[in-house]
Structures are given as structure tokens and as C-alpha cells.
Amino acid sequence: NAGVTQTPKFQVLKTGQSMTLQCAQDMNHEYMSWYRQDPGMGLRLIHYSVGAGITDQGEVPNGYNVSRSTTEDFPLRLLSAAPSQTSVYFCASSSQTYEQYFGPGTRLTVT
Amino acid sequence: GEDVEQSLFLSVREGDSSVINCTYTDSSSTYLYWYKQEPGAGLQLLTYIFSNMDMKQDQRLTVLLNKKDKHLSLRIADTQTGDSAIYFCAESVTGNQFYFGTGTSLTVIP
């Protein structure tokens, strides 16, 4: 099992550009989430999904879109990048036992 | 979101016990978690406790839950330099939305 994988590891964007952060899991988990981690603020939930075709907003959804067409994949789209979106992004998945597993993170810088 | 609070820093000497504290506000929290994050890495689940439990022990880790005070603690016995990391407390009511504290940076002094 690879667990939760994220690509890319690092990304630099210019303001206004769009991009997709990829997340995949091979544990057949129903629940998947995206978080951003900023210094002194812990992790904040952006969007989450309770199964294929079902997504919902978390605490800080503005500027981000998600979709869940398969159980395995949960991409996060930045529509028009802003410097405030400079952060480390983590994808996570969890099973019915509510044990959440995290990917290694994507470090995004928006200039 | 729900408020989960932790102190930011803790220093201990190698071999001593570390106690990391966390308070939360949602009395309906069902699951409470401790995660460890090493530099440049993702979060690793250390342990979790159900809200109907008071204590859980797993090798060097002991989790204590005081539901009345909404207080959760993580004790690490015989702390080693490899335990230096950021420790996050998290809570969940539904099991699919998790709320995290700001993290406690543990430094172990040799």
C-alpha cells in the first residue's frame, strides 16, 4: 500500500494562475479531506468528501474547488491563485474507524 | 470551526516525561486524537481516544481525557530526542470533519 500520495511536492505559482493539487489513496477509504497548514494556525479544513460524488465545504473553502469522481482520487483546484494561498496543503483519508491518514504535503508559494 | 487550544512550546530533558495539554470546546466531540509531525513531513496518527473513555495507554504514550473540563493530555514517558516534533490535538464529532489545535512544538534536550 502506498497510503496517501500527493503531487507535486513543491509548486510556485504567479498570482492569477490556476493549478490542481493531486491526491490519491489506495486504502479504499470513503472519507477524504484537504487541509492547509499555516504557521501558528494549525490545520484548517478546506473541503472534504464522504464518498465518490459527494463533497462539502470546510472552514476555509473560498478560492478552492474539489471533485470526487472516484473513491481513490480527490483533486484540489486553485481557480486563481493569490498570495494568501501560500501554504502547505495536506490531503487525508479515513475509514469507518475514523483513523485519518495524511499525505506528505504540497508546499505552495504564490508570488 | 470548533476551538481546540494547545500551548505552543514545551522543552523537556531526555529521559523525563513530557505532558502535552489540549482543551476543546465541543462537548459532543466523539473522537479525540493526537498526531505527530516531524519537520517537512505529514501528520502521523499517534493515538486516539473515544469520548466514553478516561484513559488509554499505548507503550510510552498515555492519553488522559477529562470530559467535564474538556481537557485532553498526552504523556510521553522516557522522552527521547526522536520525540522532538510538533504534536497536534484534534477532535471530531462525526468522524469526517476534524478540528485541529495549533500544535505544540516539543524540544527534547539531550
Side-chain angles (χ1 to χ4, degrees):
Chain A
N1 278 358
V4 180
T5 58
Q6 291 182 238
T7 55
K9 281 191 179 306
F10 301 94
Q11 183 70 51
V12 179
L13 290 178
K14 293 189 187 303
T15 297
Q17 287 185 316
S18 63
M19 80 158 294
T20 299
L21 279 63
Q22 301 292 344
C23 174
Q25 53 93 7
D26 61 0
M27 297 173 282
N28 203 32
H29 286 169
E30 290 295 316
Y31 306 124
M32 296 187 74
S33 309
W34 276 102
Y35 296 87
R36 59 178 289 173
Q37 183 179 26
D38 300 295
M41 300 191 75
L43 276 79
R44 292 181 292 168
L45 181 64
I46 303 171
H47 285 285
Y48 67 98
S49 169
V50 300
I54 307 168
T55 63
D56 206 347
Q57 296 181 349
E59 295 177 74
V60 288
N62 292 341
Y64 307 96
N65 271 0
V66 292
S67 59
R68 183 98 180 269
S69 56
T70 66
T71 300
E72 294 79 20
D73 299 298
F74 191 42
L76 178 73
R77 278 181 288 278
L78 278 71
L79 308 172
S80 177
S84 60
Q85 293 179 304
T86 293
S87 188
V88 182
Y89 291 85
F90 288 102
C91 178
S93 73
S94 56
S95 68
Q96 296 279 340
T97 61
Y98 310 114
E99 295 183 28
Q100 192 169 208
Y101 296 91
F102 282 80
T106 294
R107 188 172 295 272
L108 176 68
T109 302
V110 182
T111 61
Chain B
E2 313 307 331
D3 284 333
V4 181
E5 295 193 356
Q6 303 176 237
S7 54
L8 290 179
F9 302 101
L10 177 67
S11 291
V12 299
R13 294 209 173 273
E14 189 174 16
D16 288 350
S17 291
S18 309
V19 179
I20 303 171
N21 295 301
C22 170
T23 58
Y24 59 97
T25 57
D26 192 341
S27 57
S28 55
S29 295
T30 307
Y31 310 93
L32 295 133
Y33 304 84
W34 284 105
Y35 286 85
K36 177 182 180 183
Q37 184 181 35
E38 298 185 16
L43 276 70
Q44 173 195 355
L45 177 64
L46 285 178
T47 186
Y48 63 93
I49 190 169
F50 296 111
S51 59
N52 61 357
M53 299 168 64
D54 297 324
M55 185 182 90
K56 182 178 181 181
Q57 187 151 5
D58 184 0
Q59 300 183 337
R60 292 191 298 122
L61 305 179
T62 303
V63 178
L64 294 177
L65 175 61
N66 181 329
K67 277 197 73 175
K68 176 174 165 289
D69 294 338
K70 301 191 190 70
H71 182 267
L72 183 73
S73 67
L74 174 69
R75 178 177 180 268
I76 306 173
D78 187 24
T79 312
Q80 303 298 306
T81 54
D83 295 323
S84 291
I86 301 176
Y87 290 81
F88 289 93
C89 168
E91 61 93 9
S92 179
V93 173
T94 61
N96 54 24
Q97 283 202 63
F98 296 77
Y99 294 96
F100 286 81
T102 53
T104 299
S105 178
L106 174 65
T107 301
V108 181
I109 304 163

